[in-house]
Amino acid sequence: MLTIGLLGCGNIGNIIIKNHVGVDIVALFDQMPGRAEEAGKLCDAKAFGNIEDFLNEDYDIVVEAASIDAAQKYAASVLEHGKDLVVMSVGVFADELFRQEIIDLASSLGRKIYIPSGAIFGLDNLKIGQVSGITRLLLRTTKNPRSLNIEECAERTCLFSGMANECIKHYPKNTNVSVALELAAGRDVEVELWADPSVDRNVHEIFIEGDFGEATITVKNLPSPDNPATSYLAALSIVTLLKNLGEPMRVGT
Ligand SMILES: NC(=O)C1=CN([C@@H]2O[C@H](COP(=O)(O)OP(=O)(O)OC[C@H]3O[C@@H](n4cnc5c(N)ncnc54)[C@H](OP(=O)(O)O)[C@@H]3O)[C@@H](O)[C@H]2O)C=CC1
Ligand SMILES: O=C([O-])CC(=O)C(=O)O
């Protein structure tokens, strides 16, 4: 069975611990040591107080569910410790230089980096953008102000309109999906981010046009109970990615 080290024991980390299938969680690390220790009690994994000890433990894959900052700080080190890497805070790869460095490092070490579909549907066939023209790719995200950590917002308000690599700098906890779309399609993504006090879901509308025709995807996500910024689907997507890693048949482009 594949063995996992969990980097980040917050909302997604705990959902992974409660729902994981087909993998064994053996090591935990969080910048709040108490969270790793509490999580360790739930899954019988060892909680580490520092990153070096966590990475020196023997297991196959680090699952990052922490922050863009954590992904940026530790990605190279994870690969250098002979482990594959699942990156939930995919916004880290909006930085093209960093992305290429990490891809080159993984390639030279024979390691893999996995990006879960996260809080959206549709990354599978969006990858056709790597071999065929996509002329329009727009993500319109709408969340309740609570999910965006905004206190004053009486009516539907556009917070950002522009490109994904700019948006993620301003909203690193809310627009990782825009960078996942960018990586899948191999092109820039336009983003609109809206705060709307009348919605109680994290809504992602994706508009795609290209040589294939056109598609519109709307995802109305339930926010995670422990972190309304993060949709529950994002955690389920990582649980599913991990389950499928060990299986012989791969479904989806
Ligand atoms: N790709 C996608 O579709 C999606 C991605 N995400 C991303 O996934 C990540 C995890 O989300 P979620 O679990 O809800 O977040 P939480 O804030 O609930 O949990 C993250 C945990 O990781 C800890 N952490 C943060 N930075 C570091 C670090 N540098 N080193 C060690 N631990 C760290 C946090 O500590 P502290 O509380 O002190 O910060 C917290 O305990 C976030 O980056 C989020 O933006 C979320 C939704 C969708
Ligand atoms: O969970 C979501 O709805 C999306 C999200 O926060 C992100 O992409 O960072």
Side-chain angles (χ1 to χ4, degrees), residues 195-250:
D196 187 340
S198 73
V199 300
D200 59 359
R201 305 281 167 108
N202 293 337
V203 181
H204 301 291
E205 296 166 279
I206 304 161
F207 304 90
I208 313 155
E209 288 172 15
D211 296 349
F212 73 97
E214 52 191 75
T216 306
I217 300 169
T218 302
V219 189
K220 297 180 181 177
N221 279 310
L222 289 172
S224 303
D226 291 336
N227 181 357
T230 292
S231 301
Y232 185 53
L233 174 64
L236 295 179
S237 119
I238 209 166
V239 168
T240 309
L241 180 142
L242 294 172
K243 174 181 180 291
N244 278 268
L245 278 182
E247 294 187 357
M249 183 181 279
R250 180 179 150 157

Side-chain angles (χ1 to χ4, degrees), residues 49-174:
N50 76 69
I51 190 76
E52 201 52 34
D53 293 344
F54 167 74
L55 293 177
N56 279 329
E57 188 74 359
D58 184 23
Y59 54 87
D60 303 312
I61 306 173
V62 169
V63 176
E64 177 280 319
S67 61
I68 288 179
D69 175 58
Q72 210 264 338
K73 261 193 192 144
Y74 302 130
S77 198
V78 167
L79 302 170
E80 284 159 357
H81 280 76
K83 291 157 172 54
D84 292 339
L85 175 62
V86 177
V87 180
M88 199 70 217
S89 307
V90 59
V92 72
F93 293 125
D95 177 342
E96 279 180 48
L97 262 182
F98 177 75
R99 184 199 313 169
Q100 202 51 55
E101 259 175 47
I102 294 299
I103 290 172
D104 290 348
L105 183 63
S107 170
S108 70
L109 295 169
R111 304 258 57 100
K112 295 278 186 208
I113 301 159
Y114 301 99
I115 312 290
S117 296
I120 48 174
F121 287 77
L123 283 191
D124 52 355
N125 256 341
L126 189 58
K127 289 188 222 165
I128 62 150
Q130 299 168 22
V131 298
S132 170
I134 289 190
T135 47
R136 181 178 186 230
L137 182 51
L138 167 70
L139 169 71
R140 181 179 299 136
T141 292
T142 305
K143 293 189 179 185
N144 187 282
R146 200 176 45 245
S147 290
L148 293 154
N149 212 10
I150 294 172
E151 277 166 27
E152 299 284 314
C153 178
E155 58 187 29
R156 186 171 167 83
T157 308
C158 184
L159 301 176
F160 180 91
S161 175
M163 304 316 285
N165 57 1
E166 199 53 40
C167 189
I168 191 71
K169 290 182 196 159
H170 302 286
Y171 299 96
K173 297 185 174 180
N174 282 285

